[in-house]
Amino acid sequence: QVQLAESGGGLVQAGGSLRLSCAASGSISSIKNMGWYRQAPGKQRELVAVISSVGSINYEDSVKGRFIISRDNAKTTVYPQMNSLKPEDTAVYYCKVEKWGYIVYWGQGTQVTVSS
């Protein structure tokens, strides 16, 4: 089992920044991808950004140029630095860890609210 500890959500004004973090612990061998998804009220959960074990990164189009995802050297913690936040970024943000063999773990979610 993998346990995920998320932190960093909160309330911020439009144009501001937040940095989320997700730390994985437990059975952390064979982690392939670490990333963040978000779900706004009434909408489906969507990818925000994901980083692979070799550093390949994918961003959702609306966050390109504003969000930066990174992992620590141990590759057990993932950080999305979210800049130039917009009200439409308001959502619950979920950390997702994928191990080789398509074993997936989700965090409990952290609320990000951007006021206009």
Side-chain angles (χ1 to χ4, degrees):
Q1 288 289 329
V2 173
Q3 293 77 45
L4 300 177
E6 300 167 337
S7 63
L11 173 65
V12 65
Q13 288 188 332
S17 299
L18 281 174
R19 187 184 192 222
L20 306 181
S21 69
C22 173
S25 61
S27 180
I28 59 174
S29 62
S30 303
I31 289 179
K32 179 182 178 183
N33 297 323
M34 298 185 76
W36 285 84
Y37 288 67
R38 65 186 179 187
Q39 187 166 18
K43 295 187 177 181
Q44 290 188 331
R45 191 172 297 188
E46 64 175 5
L47 170 72
V48 175
V50 62
I51 184 167
S52 76
S53 58
V54 295
S56 298
I57 295 173
N58 284 317
Y59 292 104
E60 195 271 328
D61 285 346
S62 70
V63 308
K64 287 179 180 178
R66 300 189 296 123
F67 291 13
I68 301 170
I69 191 169
S70 61
R71 286 172 77 163
D72 69 335
N73 289 337
K75 299 180 181 179
T76 58
T77 303
V78 61
Y79 307 95
Q81 174 68 41
M82 306 187 297
N83 303 315
S84 303
L85 284 161
K86 305 176 180 179
E88 51 264 44
D89 294 318
T90 295
V92 178
Y93 284 67
Y94 296 91
C95 178
K96 176 185 176 184
V97 166
E98 179 185 339
K99 299 181 72 172
W100 291 97
Y102 204 68
I103 301 171
V104 174
Y105 299 90
W106 288 95
Q108 78 281 3
T110 183
Q111 177 70 45
V112 172
T113 302
V114 184
S115 63
S116 57

